[in-house]
Amino acid sequence: MKISEAARALESLGNETRLGIFRTLVRAGLDGLPVGRLQQRLGIPGSTLSHHIGNLVSCKLVTQKREGRVLRCTVNYTKMNALVAYLVKECCQDAGGC
Amino acid sequence: MKISEAARALESLGNETRLGIFRTLVRAGLDGLPVGRLQQRLGIPGSTLSHHIGNLVSCKLVTQKREGRVLRCTVNYTKMNALVAYLVKECCQDAGGC
DNA sequence: TAGTTATTTCGAATAAACTAGAAATAACGA
DNA sequence: TCGTTATTTCTAGTTTATTCGAAATAACTA
């Protein structure tokens, strides 16, 4: 993972509203949640919510799939795990290991 | 860890310059590095570097200790690990487990 | 096709972050 | 105390993010 890609994802999660959306989706698991359900749970105006979800999708932390009238959002666990791994990798390498 | 605290730390890491500083310190391990050494390695103007280090320190991802004329910066591994844990905790809890 | 629900896009106001030069402070050694 | 090195604080210009109402689009149902 490139540093610019990691920074982009961390920046996305570094907004309290987006982190709230993301954490709600993490708890929801593999099935995810429709946008409207997120709106119910979080109480955010639709345009604001859509803007933040778009941000999470654009850096691939969240994926979306249309199901009729509903857009279902799901955490991209592969991306999440890669991001977590990026933060800690090569730890203490310049000092000869932890 | 509160969501506001996690978002604050993620926001800090979500800037490419700061992420570069942080990753350099992660690789440096427990001994960390003086500010000047970071400046040599990263080639950032002093005032900009100081500003970003201050940001990392203010959200406790990095600690500083004066050693004579030099200020040594070290990653707060406890905080780093807590942040990583925050991102993945309660995963799939609303769906009955992963 | 008309109506309804779900969601996005547009637009514009407000707020905040990033950058870096210059000046200030801190700590040491002569 | 003076000079030198290390780092921060000040300041200001520029850029970028956040917010949300209103209007537009998408998909279904009658």
Side-chain angles (χ1 to χ4, degrees), chain B residues 40-81:
Chain B
Q40 285 180 329
R41 292 209 191 167
L42 300 169
I44 304 167
S47 62
T48 303
L49 180 61
S50 181
H51 169 256
H52 285 304
I53 292 175
N55 185 303
L56 287 162
V57 168
S58 75
C59 65
K60 305 208 170 76
L61 283 165
V62 167
T63 58
Q64 281 180 311
K65 191 172 144 195
R66 185 166 279 280
E67 294 177 357
R69 267 191 281 213
V70 146
L71 253 184
R72 182 170 293 270
C73 304
T74 312
V75 163
N76 179 350
Y77 290 97
T78 302
K79 180 82 181 191
M80 179 184 81
N81 290 326

mmCIF file of all heavy atoms in Angstrom, chain B residues 40-81:
data_model
loop_
_atom_site.group_PDB
_atom_site.id
_atom_site.type_symbol
_atom_site.label_atom_id
_atom_site.label_comp_id
_atom_site.label_asym_id
_atom_site.label_seq_id
_atom_site.Cartn_x
_atom_site.Cartn_y
_atom_site.Cartn_z
ATOM 1 N N GLN B 40 16.188 15.944 8.487
ATOM 2 C CA GLN B 40 17.161 15.450 7.505
ATOM 3 C C GLN B 40 16.523 14.400 6.605
ATOM 4 O O GLN B 40 16.636 14.430 5.391
ATOM 5 C CB GLN B 40 18.341 14.779 8.220
ATOM 6 C CG GLN B 40 19.334 15.711 8.871
ATOM 7 C CD GLN B 40 20.464 14.920 9.539
ATOM 8 O OE1 GLN B 40 20.250 13.805 10.012
ATOM 9 N NE2 GLN B 40 21.655 15.510 9.576
ATOM 10 N N ARG B 41 15.854 13.438 7.248
ATOM 11 C CA ARG B 41 15.313 12.319 6.478
ATOM 12 C C ARG B 41 14.169 12.717 5.569
ATOM 13 O O ARG B 41 14.003 12.172 4.485
ATOM 14 C CB ARG B 41 14.806 11.226 7.431
ATOM 15 C CG ARG B 41 15.922 10.566 8.161
ATOM 16 C CD ARG B 41 15.587 9.138 8.501
ATOM 17 N NE ARG B 41 16.597 8.632 9.423
ATOM 18 C CZ ARG B 41 16.491 7.520 10.114
ATOM 19 N NH1 ARG B 41 15.403 6.784 10.006
ATOM 20 N NH2 ARG B 41 17.443 7.126 10.924
ATOM 21 N N LEU B 42 13.346 13.651 6.041
ATOM 22 C CA LEU B 42 12.123 13.947 5.302
ATOM 23 C C LEU B 42 12.225 15.215 4.453
ATOM 24 O O LEU B 42 11.389 15.440 3.565
ATOM 25 C CB LEU B 42 10.945 14.044 6.276
ATOM 26 C CG LEU B 42 10.690 12.743 7.079
ATOM 27 C CD1 LEU B 42 9.690 12.997 8.193
ATOM 28 C CD2 LEU B 42 10.189 11.630 6.159
ATOM 29 N N GLY B 43 13.189 16.059 4.729
ATOM 30 C CA GLY B 43 13.380 17.270 3.938
ATOM 31 C C GLY B 43 12.220 18.243 4.003
ATOM 32 O O GLY B 43 11.775 18.786 3.001
ATOM 33 N N ILE B 44 11.722 18.470 5.210
ATOM 34 C CA ILE B 44 10.588 19.379 5.420
ATOM 35 C C ILE B 44 11.110 20.623 6.137
ATOM 36 O O ILE B 44 11.934 20.503 7.034
ATOM 37 C CB ILE B 44 9.522 18.701 6.306
ATOM 38 C CG1 ILE B 44 9.076 17.377 5.694
ATOM 39 C CG2 ILE B 44 8.345 19.611 6.535
ATOM 40 C CD1 ILE B 44 8.266 16.531 6.663
ATOM 41 N N PRO B 45 10.641 21.834 5.767
ATOM 42 C CA PRO B 45 11.044 23.044 6.496
ATOM 43 C C PRO B 45 10.741 22.903 7.991
ATOM 44 O O PRO B 45 9.704 22.329 8.380
ATOM 45 C CB PRO B 45 10.178 24.129 5.874
ATOM 46 C CG PRO B 45 9.827 23.621 4.519
ATOM 47 C CD PRO B 45 9.751 22.138 4.646
ATOM 48 N N GLY B 46 11.617 23.429 8.815
ATOM 49 C CA GLY B 46 11.504 23.268 10.261
ATOM 50 C C GLY B 46 10.169 23.670 10.838
ATOM 51 O O GLY B 46 9.605 22.946 11.670
ATOM 52 N N SER B 47 9.662 24.805 10.406
ATOM 53 C CA SER B 47 8.410 25.284 11.008
ATOM 54 C C SER B 47 7.251 24.368 10.648
ATOM 55 O O SER B 47 6.371 24.103 11.472
ATOM 56 C CB SER B 47 8.122 26.714 10.573
ATOM 57 O OG SER B 47 7.953 26.783 9.178
ATOM 58 N N THR B 48 7.273 23.865 9.428
ATOM 59 C CA THR B 48 6.215 22.934 9.002
ATOM 60 C C THR B 48 6.331 21.630 9.776
ATOM 61 O O THR B 48 5.329 21.099 10.296
ATOM 62 C CB THR B 48 6.342 22.649 7.488
ATOM 63 O OG1 THR B 48 6.280 23.867 6.780
ATOM 64 C CG2 THR B 48 5.222 21.735 7.011
ATOM 65 N N LEU B 49 7.552 21.123 9.886
ATOM 66 C CA LEU B 49 7.771 19.882 10.623
ATOM 67 C C LEU B 49 7.321 20.021 12.069
ATOM 68 O O LEU B 49 6.610 19.156 12.601
ATOM 69 C CB LEU B 49 9.257 19.525 10.568
ATOM 70 C CG LEU B 49 9.681 18.260 11.294
ATOM 71 C CD1 LEU B 49 8.986 17.035 10.728
ATOM 72 C CD2 LEU B 49 11.206 18.079 11.230
ATOM 73 N N SER B 50 7.705 21.112 12.684
ATOM 74 C CA SER B 50 7.351 21.341 14.079
ATOM 75 C C SER B 50 5.833 21.387 14.263
ATOM 76 O O SER B 50 5.296 20.827 15.223
ATOM 77 C CB SER B 50 7.966 22.661 14.550
ATOM 78 O OG SER B 50 7.649 22.899 15.901
ATOM 79 N N HIS B 51 5.176 22.030 13.328
ATOM 80 C CA HIS B 51 3.719 22.108 13.370
ATOM 81 C C HIS B 51 3.081 20.722 13.335
ATOM 82 O O HIS B 51 2.180 20.406 14.113
ATOM 83 C CB HIS B 51 3.246 22.960 12.185
ATOM 84 C CG HIS B 51 1.782 22.918 11.941
ATOM 85 N ND1 HIS B 51 1.242 22.184 10.917
ATOM 86 C CD2 HIS B 51 0.755 23.492 12.586
ATOM 87 C CE1 HIS B 51 -0.078 22.335 10.950
ATOM 88 N NE2 HIS B 51 -0.395 23.122 11.933
ATOM 89 N N HIS B 52 3.597 19.867 12.425
ATOM 90 C CA HIS B 52 3.007 18.532 12.284
ATOM 91 C C HIS B 52 3.356 17.633 13.472
ATOM 92 O O HIS B 52 2.517 16.850 13.932
ATOM 93 C CB HIS B 52 3.471 17.898 10.977
ATOM 94 C CG HIS B 52 2.800 18.479 9.772
ATOM 95 N ND1 HIS B 52 1.422 18.517 9.624
ATOM 96 C CD2 HIS B 52 3.302 19.065 8.658
ATOM 97 C CE1 HIS B 52 1.125 19.091 8.480
ATOM 98 N NE2 HIS B 52 2.243 19.441 7.868
ATOM 99 N N ILE B 53 4.584 17.753 13.969
ATOM 100 C CA ILE B 53 4.944 16.962 15.157
ATOM 101 C C ILE B 53 4.062 17.386 16.332
ATOM 102 O O ILE B 53 3.552 16.549 17.082
ATOM 103 C CB ILE B 53 6.439 17.138 15.496
ATOM 104 C CG1 ILE B 53 7.308 16.486 14.412
ATOM 105 C CG2 ILE B 53 6.758 16.514 16.852
ATOM 106 C CD1 ILE B 53 8.804 16.715 14.588
ATOM 107 N N GLY B 54 3.849 18.687 16.453
ATOM 108 C CA GLY B 54 2.980 19.188 17.518
ATOM 109 C C GLY B 54 1.591 18.589 17.442
ATOM 110 O O GLY B 54 0.982 18.254 18.469
ATOM 111 N N ASN B 55 1.105 18.429 16.236
ATOM 112 C CA ASN B 55 -0.213 17.822 16.028
ATOM 113 C C ASN B 55 -0.213 16.360 16.492
ATOM 114 O O ASN B 55 -1.126 15.922 17.204
ATOM 115 C CB ASN B 55 -0.558 17.935 14.540
ATOM 116 C CG ASN B 55 -1.947 17.456 14.205
ATOM 117 O OD1 ASN B 55 -2.295 16.318 14.490
ATOM 118 N ND2 ASN B 55 -2.760 18.307 13.598
ATOM 119 N N LEU B 56 0.804 15.616 16.117
ATOM 120 C CA LEU B 56 0.907 14.208 16.532
ATOM 121 C C LEU B 56 1.047 14.088 18.055
ATOM 122 O O LEU B 56 0.478 13.168 18.675
ATOM 123 C CB LEU B 56 2.108 13.546 15.843
ATOM 124 C CG LEU B 56 1.957 13.254 14.348
ATOM 125 C CD1 LEU B 56 3.305 13.013 13.687
ATOM 126 C CD2 LEU B 56 1.025 12.059 14.116
ATOM 127 N N VAL B 57 1.783 15.019 18.648
ATOM 128 C CA VAL B 57 1.968 14.996 20.098
ATOM 129 C C VAL B 57 0.659 15.341 20.803
ATOM 130 O O VAL B 57 0.296 14.717 21.797
ATOM 131 C CB VAL B 57 3.093 15.974 20.517
ATOM 132 C CG1 VAL B 57 3.117 16.184 22.024
ATOM 133 C CG2 VAL B 57 4.450 15.461 20.032
ATOM 134 N N SER B 58 -0.077 16.310 20.249
ATOM 135 C CA SER B 58 -1.297 16.767 20.916
ATOM 136 C C SER B 58 -2.366 15.679 20.963
ATOM 137 O O SER B 58 -3.216 15.679 21.839
ATOM 138 C CB SER B 58 -1.838 18.023 20.240
ATOM 139 O OG SER B 58 -2.463 17.691 19.018
ATOM 140 N N CYS B 59 -2.306 14.746 20.028
ATOM 141 C CA CYS B 59 -3.271 13.643 20.106
ATOM 142 C C CYS B 59 -2.584 12.378 20.638
ATOM 143 O O CYS B 59 -3.154 11.284 20.547
ATOM 144 C CB CYS B 59 -3.974 13.411 18.772
ATOM 145 S SG CYS B 59 -2.904 12.871 17.472
ATOM 146 N N LYS B 60 -1.395 12.561 21.191
ATOM 147 C CA LYS B 60 -0.713 11.499 21.958
ATOM 148 C C LYS B 60 -0.237 10.310 21.140
ATOM 149 O O LYS B 60 0.029 9.245 21.680
ATOM 150 C CB LYS B 60 -1.582 11.025 23.119
ATOM 151 C CG LYS B 60 -2.020 12.136 24.056
ATOM 152 C CD LYS B 60 -2.237 11.595 25.461
ATOM 153 C CE LYS B 60 -2.431 12.706 26.473
ATOM 154 N NZ LYS B 60 -3.775 13.321 26.417
ATOM 155 N N LEU B 61 -0.122 10.487 19.826
ATOM 156 C CA LEU B 61 0.447 9.399 19.016
ATOM 157 C C LEU B 61 1.962 9.405 19.126
ATOM 158 O O LEU B 61 2.619 8.399 18.842
ATOM 159 C CB LEU B 61 0.045 9.564 17.546
ATOM 160 C CG LEU B 61 -1.392 9.148 17.225
ATOM 161 C CD1 LEU B 61 -1.818 9.689 15.868
ATOM 162 C CD2 LEU B 61 -1.546 7.629 17.250
ATOM 163 N N VAL B 62 2.517 10.530 19.504
ATOM 164 C CA VAL B 62 3.964 10.684 19.620
ATOM 165 C C VAL B 62 4.252 11.402 20.937
ATOM 166 O O VAL B 62 3.482 12.264 21.361
ATOM 167 C CB VAL B 62 4.507 11.513 18.421
ATOM 168 C CG1 VAL B 62 5.937 11.965 18.648
ATOM 169 C CG2 VAL B 62 4.415 10.703 17.121
ATOM 170 N N THR B 63 5.344 11.011 21.590
ATOM 171 C CA THR B 63 5.774 11.722 22.791
ATOM 172 C C THR B 63 7.136 12.346 22.522
ATOM 173 O O THR B 63 7.852 11.918 21.613
ATOM 174 C CB THR B 63 5.881 10.777 23.996
ATOM 175 O OG1 THR B 63 6.799 9.729 23.685
ATOM 176 C CG2 THR B 63 4.532 10.175 24.343
ATOM 177 N N GLN B 64 7.463 13.365 23.311
ATOM 178 C CA GLN B 64 8.737 14.061 23.139
ATOM 179 C C GLN B 64 9.441 14.183 24.478
ATOM 180 O O GLN B 64 8.801 14.345 25.517
ATOM 181 C CB GLN B 64 8.498 15.469 22.594
ATOM 182 C CG GLN B 64 8.229 15.505 21.116
ATOM 183 C CD GLN B 64 7.995 16.908 20.608
ATOM 184 O OE1 GLN B 64 7.219 17.652 21.177
ATOM 185 N NE2 GLN B 64 8.670 17.276 19.545
ATOM 186 N N LYS B 65 10.763 14.123 24.409
ATOM 187 C CA LYS B 65 11.569 14.250 25.624
ATOM 188 C C LYS B 65 12.828 15.026 25.263
ATOM 189 O O LYS B 65 13.486 14.714 24.275
ATOM 190 C CB LYS B 65 11.936 12.839 26.112
ATOM 191 C CG LYS B 65 12.533 12.776 27.499
ATOM 192 C CD LYS B 65 12.666 11.312 27.913
ATOM 193 C CE LYS B 65 13.924 11.069 28.729
ATOM 194 N NZ LYS B 65 14.237 9.630 28.828
ATOM 195 N N ARG B 66 13.094 16.041 26.046
ATOM 196 C CA ARG B 66 14.286 16.829 25.735
ATOM 197 C C ARG B 66 15.543 16.125 26.219
ATOM 198 O O ARG B 66 15.568 15.579 27.319
ATOM 199 C CB ARG B 66 14.183 18.224 26.364
ATOM 200 C CG ARG B 66 15.359 19.121 25.968
ATOM 201 C CD ARG B 66 15.130 20.581 26.291
ATOM 202 N NE ARG B 66 14.306 21.263 25.286
ATOM 203 C CZ ARG B 66 14.751 21.709 24.121
ATOM 204 N NH1 ARG B 66 16.000 21.509 23.749
ATOM 205 N NH2 ARG B 66 13.954 22.354 23.301
ATOM 206 N N GLU B 67 16.552 16.148 25.369
ATOM 207 C CA GLU B 67 17.866 15.629 25.732
ATOM 208 C C GLU B 67 18.873 16.713 25.355
ATOM 209 O O GLU B 67 19.384 16.730 24.249
ATOM 210 C CB GLU B 67 18.173 14.345 24.959
ATOM 211 C CG GLU B 67 17.261 13.184 25.338
ATOM 212 C CD GLU B 67 17.531 11.936 24.508
ATOM 213 O OE1 GLU B 67 18.391 11.987 23.607
ATOM 214 O OE2 GLU B 67 16.871 10.909 24.764
ATOM 215 N N GLY B 68 19.116 17.589 26.281
ATOM 216 C CA GLY B 68 20.016 18.702 25.998
ATOM 217 C C GLY B 68 19.420 19.587 24.939
ATOM 218 O O GLY B 68 18.285 20.053 25.074
ATOM 219 N N ARG B 69 20.155 19.765 23.857
ATOM 220 C CA ARG B 69 19.653 20.654 22.814
ATOM 221 C C ARG B 69 18.658 19.975 21.887
ATOM 222 O O ARG B 69 18.024 20.619 21.063
ATOM 223 C CB ARG B 69 20.828 21.171 21.971
ATOM 224 C CG ARG B 69 21.348 22.489 22.491
ATOM 225 C CD ARG B 69 22.306 23.115 21.524
ATOM 226 N NE ARG B 69 23.636 22.504 21.624
ATOM 227 C CZ ARG B 69 24.767 23.189 21.427
ATOM 228 N NH1 ARG B 69 24.724 24.456 21.132
ATOM 229 N NH2 ARG B 69 25.937 22.590 21.517
ATOM 230 N N VAL B 70 18.567 18.696 22.047
ATOM 231 C CA VAL B 70 17.781 17.899 21.103
ATOM 232 C C VAL B 70 16.449 17.452 21.703
ATOM 233 O O VAL B 70 16.355 17.157 22.885
ATOM 234 C CB VAL B 70 18.647 16.676 20.681
ATOM 235 C CG1 VAL B 70 17.791 15.465 20.440
ATOM 236 C CG2 VAL B 70 19.495 17.023 19.475
ATOM 237 N N LEU B 71 15.398 17.425 20.896
ATOM 238 C CA LEU B 71 14.092 16.938 21.334
ATOM 239 C C LEU B 71 13.847 15.597 20.656
ATOM 240 O O LEU B 71 13.721 15.525 19.433
ATOM 241 C CB LEU B 71 12.994 17.894 20.899
ATOM 242 C CG LEU B 71 12.330 18.774 21.946
ATOM 243 C CD1 LEU B 71 11.219 19.571 21.295
ATOM 244 C CD2 LEU B 71 11.777 17.962 23.100
ATOM 245 N N ARG B 72 13.767 14.554 21.459
ATOM 246 C CA ARG B 72 13.626 13.221 20.886
ATOM 247 C C ARG B 72 12.145 12.843 20.796
ATOM 248 O O ARG B 72 11.404 12.956 21.773
ATOM 249 C CB ARG B 72 14.383 12.210 21.748
ATOM 250 C CG ARG B 72 14.348 10.787 21.199
ATOM 251 C CD ARG B 72 15.305 9.903 21.965
ATOM 252 N NE ARG B 72 16.686 10.288 21.726
ATOM 253 C CZ ARG B 72 17.433 9.782 20.738
ATOM 254 N NH1 ARG B 72 16.919 8.868 19.913
ATOM 255 N NH2 ARG B 72 18.672 10.175 20.588
ATOM 256 N N CYS B 73 11.729 12.375 19.638
ATOM 257 C CA CYS B 73 10.325 12.002 19.388
ATOM 258 C C CYS B 73 10.210 10.481 19.315
ATOM 259 O O CYS B 73 11.028 9.835 18.665
ATOM 260 C CB CYS B 73 9.846 12.565 18.067
ATOM 261 S SG CYS B 73 10.034 14.333 17.913
ATOM 262 N N THR B 74 9.177 9.954 19.953
ATOM 263 C CA THR B 74 8.975 8.506 19.977
ATOM 264 C C THR B 74 7.500 8.201 19.767
ATOM 265 O O THR B 74 6.645 8.928 20.269
ATOM 266 C CB THR B 74 9.413 7.924 21.344
ATOM 267 O OG1 THR B 74 10.693 8.447 21.686
ATOM 268 C CG2 THR B 74 9.476 6.415 21.308
ATOM 269 N N VAL B 75 7.227 7.139 19.049
ATOM 270 C CA VAL B 75 5.838 6.710 18.884
ATOM 271 C C VAL B 75 5.295 6.212 20.217
ATOM 272 O O VAL B 75 5.989 5.530 20.971
ATOM 273 C CB VAL B 75 5.741 5.577 17.833
ATOM 274 C CG1 VAL B 75 4.406 4.844 17.933
ATOM 275 C CG2 VAL B 75 5.933 6.130 16.433
ATOM 276 N N ASN B 76 4.067 6.578 20.505
ATOM 277 C CA ASN B 76 3.364 6.027 21.668
ATOM 278 C C ASN B 76 2.665 4.757 21.202
ATOM 279 O O ASN B 76 1.551 4.796 20.680
ATOM 280 C CB ASN B 76 2.370 7.070 22.170
ATOM 281 C CG ASN B 76 1.572 6.572 23.359
ATOM 282 O OD1 ASN B 76 1.609 5.393 23.708
ATOM 283 N ND2 ASN B 76 0.841 7.480 23.990
ATOM 284 N N TYR B 77 3.336 3.644 21.405
ATOM 285 C CA TYR B 77 2.820 2.372 20.889
ATOM 286 C C TYR B 77 1.509 1.957 21.543
ATOM 287 O O TYR B 77 0.661 1.322 20.919
ATOM 288 C CB TYR B 77 3.883 1.273 21.018
ATOM 289 C CG TYR B 77 5.036 1.466 20.067
ATOM 290 C CD1 TYR B 77 6.204 2.077 20.475
ATOM 291 C CD2 TYR B 77 4.921 1.088 18.728
ATOM 292 C CE1 TYR B 77 7.254 2.296 19.586
ATOM 293 C CE2 TYR B 77 5.968 1.303 17.830
ATOM 294 C CZ TYR B 77 7.136 1.902 18.276
ATOM 295 O OH TYR B 77 8.160 2.118 17.396
ATOM 296 N N THR B 78 1.354 2.323 22.791
ATOM 297 C CA THR B 78 0.093 2.018 23.487
ATOM 298 C C THR B 78 -1.078 2.686 22.763
ATOM 299 O O THR B 78 -2.113 2.056 22.493
ATOM 300 C CB THR B 78 0.161 2.514 24.939
ATOM 301 O OG1 THR B 78 1.278 1.896 25.583
ATOM 302 C CG2 THR B 78 -1.114 2.167 25.688
ATOM 303 N N LYS B 79 -0.866 3.952 22.433
ATOM 304 C CA LYS B 79 -1.921 4.694 21.737
ATOM 305 C C LYS B 79 -2.148 4.120 20.331
ATOM 306 O O LYS B 79 -3.294 3.971 19.894
ATOM 307 C CB LYS B 79 -1.502 6.158 21.632
ATOM 308 C CG LYS B 79 -2.499 7.056 20.938
ATOM 309 C CD LYS B 79 -3.592 7.493 21.857
ATOM 310 C CE LYS B 79 -4.600 8.389 21.136
ATOM 311 N NZ LYS B 79 -5.522 9.021 22.066
ATOM 312 N N MET B 80 -1.054 3.826 19.653
ATOM 313 C CA MET B 80 -1.171 3.275 18.303
ATOM 314 C C MET B 80 -1.973 1.973 18.326
ATOM 315 O O MET B 80 -2.896 1.778 17.521
ATOM 316 C CB MET B 80 0.209 3.014 17.708
ATOM 317 C CG MET B 80 0.163 2.418 16.313
ATOM 318 S SD MET B 80 1.798 2.014 15.668
ATOM 319 C CE MET B 80 2.108 0.439 16.437
ATOM 320 N N ASN B 81 -1.659 1.099 19.262
ATOM 321 C CA ASN B 81 -2.361 -0.184 19.336
ATOM 322 C C ASN B 81 -3.827 -0.011 19.718
ATOM 323 O O ASN B 81 -4.697 -0.717 19.210
ATOM 324 C CB ASN B 81 -1.657 -1.113 20.323
ATOM 325 C CG ASN B 81 -0.308 -1.575 19.801
ATOM 326 O OD1 ASN B 81 -0.137 -1.757 18.598
ATOM 327 N ND2 ASN B 81 0.656 -1.753 20.691
#
